[in-house]
Amino acid sequence: MADDDDDTQSEGTDKYLLFCLADDEYGVPIDLVQSIEELHHIVPVPEMPPYVKGVINLRGTVIPTVDMRLRFGMPERAYDDRTCIIIVQATGRVVGFVVDTVSEVHQIPKTDIQSAPDFTDSSGTDRAVGGIGTVDGEIKILIDMERLVQADEIPASDDLHE
Amino acid sequence: MAQMKLRTKIVSGFVAVVALLVVVSAVAIFFLAEARTGFVTYRGWARDSNLMSNVQGNMLMVRMNVKDFLIRGTQQEVDEYRGYYDTVAELIETATAEIQNPERAAMVEEIKTEVERYDRYFTEVIAFQGDRDIHYQTLVDVGPRIERNLTLILTSAREDGDMVAAYNASLATRSLLLARLYAMKFLDTNARADADRVEAETNTMEEYLSILDAELQNPTRRALLEQVRTFSGEYFKGFEKMVEAIYARNGRTENGLDKIGPNVADLANQVKLSVQADQDALGPKLQRQMYLAGTVVVIVSIVAIVAAVLTALLIVRSVMKQLGADPAAIEAIMKRLVIGDTDVEFTGTGHKGVYRSVREMVEAIRAKAKSLSRIADNDFTEEIVPASDVDALGIALKTMQESVADVLTQAIQASQQVQAGAGQVSQASQDLSQGATEQASSLEEISSSVNEINGQSRRNADNSVEANNLARQAAADAEQGNEQMTQLREAMTNISYSSEEITKVVKVIDDIAFQINLLALNANVEAARAGKYGKGFAVVADEVRNLAVRSAEAVKETTAMVEESVKNIERGNKMTETTADKLSGIVDGSTKVAQFLEEIAAASREQAQAIDQITEGLSQVDRVTQSNTASAEESASASEELASQAQQLFSVVAQFKLRDTQWSNRPNALEYAPAEVASGGGVGSRPVREAVVAGADPHEVIALDDDDFDRF
């Protein structure tokens, strides 16, 4: 147990927050997650890529919000009472991601994670895949949030404040 | 005139009277118009005359103000003069516009010129009066100064003892005072003598002053004397100028104003006189015209009245000629005719018009009455000749006489035929009697059959009623079942509603479970952020999450169950509806069966009643048959009686006197031929059967009457 503690301490936790998009589950490292929120009113911001739906006001902080489905090139779906926003803090930026719903927090040991297949596709979508995890025989696609946040043209919340 | 219609006569009479009235009115209107023109002219002249009087009056006021001015010389008089002068000028302007007579217009023009001249003169007089006032002021100023200086010279000379100077100074003073006195007198009198005296006294004073000039040595007195001489010159020059102004003023007044004023008054008077002369000419003329008009209107009215009376007489005469007598007399005759009295007497001879026509009519009616009274005495022999083709009464009378005669002839024939017919009727009656007996036996058989049918119908009716009751019971049961079905459906609807409510509650629970899950995940996130310190917390969060997940699962199961029961309810609903429809069908069918049965029962009852009526009818037929038998026997005896009555009738009819022409066609009643009856020309003649001819076979007669017999 002490070893485990040390591991988590040194390499970060191997817990992932699992969320749903369409019929599949995806994972986000839990230490990047700031909180999970119910759907807020999203204020549209002009001249943004289509997947940037706008900004939300989270307890006084203005946070840019991205539709994960649109971001991954999936068909758009009307928001319902299960729709959640995952607030992620990575590379010093705070971004909200709209997902169909969140399911659970699950531990995925490194041994159950394979690196992402080497797609040579340069369209950019593969850049966000950090690895493929397996939980009870089911595949969970693990998102590399740091890369995703860095690659996107998401306005920093500070910029918005200005 | 005599050929005209009554209405035309009366209308033309009134037209003539109205025409006369129009003539009278026209004459009166013509004279009134003349008189009106005259009066308008007269009134215009009266206005002119008034205008001139106003001019005269105002001119008088103008002149009075001029006089006042000459006496007092203040501005007030000039102002009043201006007011009256303006009034005069206005009046003259009005007169110029209104007075059209050339002679008088010329006079008005002259008045206008004169008045304007008068005004010019008066303006000059005002100027001269101003001059006079200035110079008068000089005299008043300078005179006392001269006197004072002379008095100073006198007193100082006396004090110095220069008696020559004092003496001359006092003499000069005396001349001065005299000159001033006469100057004042001149102001009052305006006389030349006073002016000359002033000049003389002034010259005298000058002489004394010259002496003083030679005598005086004292410088003070010389200075005073120098002043006196200057003042003396001023005084005399001022006085001369004042005299000039006064004479000029007086000249304007006497030669201008005093002549023009009366002249204007005179001219205005002349205008008035001219107007008056015209009025004097027009007045009597108008009076004569009015008198003439009165006379003409009276004469025309008398002529109109006479003409109207003559017209009325003419119309009355013409109308009376057409009527022949007074309408009241004709009406009295007509009233007597109406109540049937033809004994009317016509007075006088040579009747005319309507009266003659009435007399002719009465004579014609008397002739008709006479013919009728002969017919009344059973005498049909007279030959009636109608007065003309259109004499409806005469033709009708003739037709009536002929028709009645014809009827009588036929009556004779008929009585003979009746005798023959009576025998045949007797035979027929016997046959009838036998037939009726056979009928009676048939009727008895029919009657027993009908009674049997009647009993069956009644049983039918009873059975139908029982079946009807059963059908009604079935319908009522089905109805009750249907009502219970409805209640069942309501209960199921309630269950369905409750299920929906449960679904809503379950949804709320599901939402709460989701929220708890969210909270648990957030707690997990927080725990992860807290590192190893958050581990225990993470475990708790997981447990909470597990509970939430279990709640959600339970909710899902509940939802599935509720949905299942809702589906079952819907299925039950459908089945209930089908059952209800079926039950309704049973209710409808039962009701119909009940109705049919009721109809059958009613029909059976009606059948029974109808059969009762048939039974009744049969018994009536039976009675009738029996009475028929009796009747047939009676008619046999009656026909014999009939034959004897016919004989009697013939003897009665034969009493009427008929003309030979009417009677000769059928000299013997027993031998006449039917063809001759048809050619008799009688109105309403009836064809007679050949079989009725006397001596025909009675059996043949009966055979021919079979059709009639069927009616029995």
Side-chain angles (χ1 to χ4, degrees):
Chain A
M1 286 298 279
D3 281 351
D4 285 351
D5 286 354
D6 287 342
D7 285 346
T8 50
Q9 202 73 353
S10 56
E11 296 170 18
T13 177
D14 48 3
K15 278 185 173 175
Y16 287 85
L17 172 67
L18 300 184
F19 61 90
C20 297
L21 284 180
D23 297 330
D24 296 316
E25 283 196 329
Y26 297 75
V28 181
I30 198 162
D31 47 359
L32 297 181
V33 177
Q34 200 174 29
S35 68
I36 305 153
E37 302 294 336
E38 282 182 87
L39 188 66
H40 279 65
H41 174 62
I42 302 175
V43 180
V45 176
E47 294 184 349
M48 284 290 139
Y51 53 78
V52 179
K53 298 302 277 187
V55 294
I56 58 169
N57 182 348
L58 184 64
R59 292 182 281 279
T61 310
V62 176
I63 295 172
T65 305
V66 170
D67 188 304
M68 202 65 121
R69 273 172 170 262
L70 293 179
R71 178 65 185 80
F72 289 164
M74 297 163 77
E76 199 172 0
R77 166 178 173 276
Y79 296 160
D80 58 21
D81 56 356
R82 293 290 184 268
T83 304
C84 292
I85 301 175
I86 303 174
I87 310 296
V88 174
Q89 191 171 24
T91 64
R93 305 174 74 174
V94 179
V95 180
F97 287 96
V98 181
V99 299
D100 287 3
T101 190
V102 291
S103 50
E104 58 181 314
V105 174
H106 210 284
Q107 196 158 22
I108 307 175
K110 289 241 181 314
T111 49
D112 290 346
I113 298 172
Q114 299 176 14
S115 58
D118 184 19
F119 298 117
T120 50
D121 181 10
S122 59
S123 64
T125 47
D126 62 325
R127 286 180 300 187
V129 179
I132 308 292
T134 315
V135 176
D136 302 332
E138 283 180 18
I139 286 175
K140 313 285 178 196
I141 297 165
L142 306 179
I143 311 292
D144 187 339
M145 271 298 169
E146 285 166 354
R147 274 205 282 175
L148 184 73
V149 169
Q150 232 160 13
D152 285 339
E153 301 172 12
I154 303 165
S157 50
D158 293 346
D159 296 345
L160 286 168
H161 278 301
E162 286 164 14
Chain B
M1 181 90 183
Q3 301 307 316
M4 275 200 277
K5 279 186 183 173
L6 197 60
R7 193 165 60 170
T8 321
K9 282 176 191 172
I10 291 168
V11 169
S12 54
F14 277 110
V15 167
V17 171
V18 169
L20 291 169
L21 196 66
V22 167
V23 169
V24 172
S25 304
V27 168
I29 288 165
F30 171 74
F31 281 115
L32 279 176
E34 287 268 295
R36 187 174 161 275
T37 319
F39 280 124
V40 168
T41 315
Y42 200 88
R43 182 167 166 270
W45 286 344
R47 274 175 61 87
D48 295 351
S49 183
N50 280 347
L51 218 53
M52 281 305 124
S53 297
N54 275 341
V55 168
Q56 274 183 319
N58 280 290
M59 197 61 205
L60 215 56
M61 289 307 292
V62 166
R63 288 177 65 194
M64 271 173 66
N65 275 296
V66 168
K67 293 287 176 207
D68 286 350
F69 176 73
L70 287 177
I71 293 164
R72 283 198 280 278
T74 60
Q75 186 59 32
Q76 190 194 342
E77 276 78 36
V78 177
D79 291 344
E80 279 183 22
Y81 163 86
R82 228 2 96 197
Y84 284 113
Y85 175 76
D86 287 346
T87 313
V88 169
E90 268 173 41
L91 287 168
I92 289 168
E93 282 303 312
T94 316
T96 312
E98 286 199 359
I99 294 174
Q100 304 293 339
N101 184 303
E103 187 196 339
R104 288 201 280 277
M107 285 187 205
V108 170
E109 194 59 35
E110 202 180 338
I111 289 172
K112 192 181 174 188
T113 321
E114 286 293 279
V115 168
E116 280 166 3
R117 207 151 65 87
Y118 189 91
D119 188 45
R120 278 201 302 280
Y121 276 125
F122 183 61
T123 313
E124 285 173 14
V125 165
I126 293 168
F128 285 131
Q129 183 74 6
D131 286 352
R132 173 209 168 268
D133 289 348
I134 292 165
H135 298 309
Y136 171 73
Q137 196 61 45
T138 312
L139 295 193
V140 171
D141 287 346
V142 176
R145 282 190 207 165
I146 301 174
E147 190 194 349
R148 200 177 62 228
N149 282 7
L150 283 176
T151 310
L152 283 174
I153 294 172
L154 177 66
T155 42
S156 84
R158 194 171 58 92
E159 283 169 5
D160 292 350
D162 187 352
M163 292 312 289
V164 177
Y167 172 74
N168 281 309
S170 60
L171 284 178
T173 305
R174 178 179 169 271
S175 295
L176 173 71
L177 288 174
L178 278 172
R180 287 181 67 193
L181 178 70
Y182 277 99
M184 288 305 128
K185 199 183 172 195
F186 173 76
L187 279 177
D188 189 35
T189 60
N190 289 348
R192 176 51 69 180
D194 292 328
D196 289 346
R197 183 69 188 273
V198 170
E199 199 180 345
E201 290 298 331
T202 314
N203 287 340
T204 314
M205 189 183 76
E206 285 292 333
E207 280 170 26
Y208 292 123
L209 289 179
S210 301
I211 294 167
L212 274 177
D213 191 22
E215 289 293 321
L216 283 181
Q217 301 300 327
N218 185 303
T220 316
R221 287 197 285 276
R222 281 207 71 84
L224 285 169
L225 181 66
E226 276 307 304
Q227 275 186 351
V228 167
R229 297 198 77 165
T230 317
F231 286 146
S232 164
E234 269 179 41
Y235 187 93
F236 188 66
K237 216 158 56 179
F239 177 74
E240 273 184 347
K241 280 182 182 169
M242 190 186 79
V243 169
E244 260 173 48
I246 286 174
Y247 278 129
R249 183 197 73 186
N250 288 353
R252 294 290 186 280
T253 310
E254 281 157 20
N255 297 328
L257 299 181
D258 288 350
K259 283 185 185 160
I260 294 166
N263 193 24
V264 167
D266 187 40
L267 280 169
N269 213 31
Q270 275 181 36
V271 172
K272 274 162 73 178
L273 284 175
S274 164
V275 168
Q276 209 172 354
D278 281 354
Q279 282 178 333
D280 288 348
L282 184 65
K285 192 180 154 201
L286 277 178
Q287 213 171 359
R288 274 200 306 282
Q289 269 184 353
M290 287 310 291
Y291 180 74
L292 179 66
T295 316
V296 169
V297 168
V298 166
I299 290 168
V300 172
S301 302
I302 290 168
V303 168
I305 289 165
V306 168
V309 168
L310 284 178
T311 310
L313 285 177
L314 202 62
I315 287 166
V316 166
R317 219 182 120 149
S318 169
V319 168
M320 282 311 289
K321 199 171 164 190
Q322 259 179 324
L323 289 176
D326 191 78
I330 295 171
E331 194 195 357
I333 292 167
M334 287 302 183
K335 276 186 176 164
R336 287 179 68 181
L337 280 183
V338 167
I339 59 168
D341 181 4
T342 55
D343 293 336
V344 188
E345 287 182 9
F346 290 87
T347 52
T349 53
H351 299 132
K352 290 181 291 188
V354 178
Y355 195 62
R356 189 175 63 191
S357 301
V358 170
R359 197 192 67 199
E360 285 167 4
M361 186 184 79
V362 169
E363 280 163 5
I365 290 171
R366 274 183 197 152
K368 300 282 191 303
K370 201 174 150 198
S371 298
L372 275 171
S373 66
R374 288 183 73 175
I375 291 171
D377 294 340
N378 293 344
D379 183 359
F380 289 80
T381 55
E382 187 196 11
E383 188 163 3
I384 294 166
V385 182
S388 68
D389 287 347
V390 291
D391 178 9
L393 186 60
I395 291 168
L397 196 59
K398 181 170 157 54
T399 312
M400 184 195 79
Q401 189 212 37
E402 286 172 1
S403 303
V404 172
D406 195 43
V407 167
L408 288 171
T409 312
Q410 284 177 30
I412 292 165
Q413 291 166 11
S415 60
Q416 290 162 353
Q417 287 171 21
V418 167
Q419 254 179 316
Q424 293 166 12
V425 170
S426 177
Q427 178 62 39
S429 302
Q430 282 170 15
D431 292 349
L432 191 66
S433 175
Q434 195 183 343
T437 313
E438 286 169 17
Q439 239 178 356
S441 69
S442 300
L443 274 174
E444 242 166 68
E445 285 171 24
I446 292 168
S447 203
S448 69
S449 302
V450 165
N451 275 339
E452 204 172 326
I453 294 169
N454 196 1
Q456 282 168 359
S457 290
R458 281 182 202 289
R459 273 198 301 284
N460 253 2
D462 291 347
N463 290 342
S464 301
V465 168
E466 202 168 331
N468 185 13
N469 287 340
L470 290 173
R472 277 184 194 288
Q473 183 62 42
D477 290 349
E479 189 82 50
Q480 206 175 348
N482 210 350
E483 274 170 24
Q484 281 164 359
M485 274 299 164
T486 312
Q487 283 170 10
L488 180 62
R489 270 163 69 180
E490 276 170 16
M492 305 243 282
T493 311
N494 284 343
I495 294 170
S496 187
Y497 177 71
S498 305
S499 304
E500 275 169 30
E501 291 296 306
I502 291 167
T503 312
K504 280 181 197 164
V505 171
V506 164
K507 171 80 175 119
V508 171
I509 294 168
D510 191 34
D511 283 348
I512 291 167
F514 173 73
Q515 304 258 357
I516 293 169
N517 190 18
L518 217 58
L519 282 174
L521 288 177
N522 266 319
N524 230 324
V525 169
E526 287 298 325
R529 291 161 78 94
K532 70 176 182 182
Y533 304 106
K535 242 176 182 179
F537 188 53
V539 172
V540 174
D542 274 340
E543 283 305 312
V544 172
R545 192 187 157 272
N546 284 340
L547 285 174
V549 168
R550 271 165 65 189
S551 306
E553 277 164 9
V555 163
K556 263 178 207 159
E557 279 168 27
T558 314
T559 309
M561 283 191 290
V562 168
E563 275 167 12
E564 181 67 23
S565 65
V566 167
K567 270 182 202 156
N568 286 337
I569 287 163
E570 275 167 15
R571 225 164 43 228
N573 261 342
K574 272 180 196 154
M575 281 158 75
T576 313
E577 266 169 39
T578 316
T579 313
D581 285 350
K582 294 262 160 73
L583 281 172
S584 294
I586 292 170
V587 171
D588 288 350
S590 305
T591 313
K592 272 184 196 162
V593 168
Q595 277 171 4
F596 285 142
L597 285 170
E598 210 165 283
E599 280 169 25
I600 291 168
S604 298
R605 276 196 294 276
E606 278 171 24
Q607 244 174 2
Q609 278 172 4
I611 290 162
D612 281 345
Q613 283 170 2
I614 289 170
T615 314
E616 175 73 14
L618 282 172
S619 61
Q620 277 176 10
V621 170
D622 191 35
R623 280 198 297 278
V624 168
T625 309
Q626 284 172 16
S627 74
N628 272 358
T629 315
S631 299
E633 284 161 13
E634 276 173 25
S635 40
S637 67
S639 48
E640 279 168 30
E641 179 71 13
L642 189 64
S644 74
Q645 292 286 333
Q647 181 62 42
Q648 206 176 339
L649 177 65
F650 175 73
S651 63
V652 169
V653 173
Q655 287 174 358
F656 287 97
K657 278 191 275 178
L658 295 173
R659 255 185 289 162
D660 288 347
T661 48
Q662 290 163 332
W663 184 240
S664 63
N665 281 342
R666 38 192 93 79
N668 191 338
L670 298 173
E671 292 175 13
Y672 76 95
E676 284 170 339
V677 176
S679 67
V683 176
S685 68
R686 184 169 55 92
V688 180
R689 276 205 190 103
E690 215 172 334
V692 184
V693 173
D697 191 344
H699 293 289
E700 278 182 41
V701 173
I702 289 165
L704 280 164
D705 281 349
D706 263 359
D707 289 343
D708 295 337
F709 185 70
D710 279 350
R711 284 200 292 269
F712 287 99

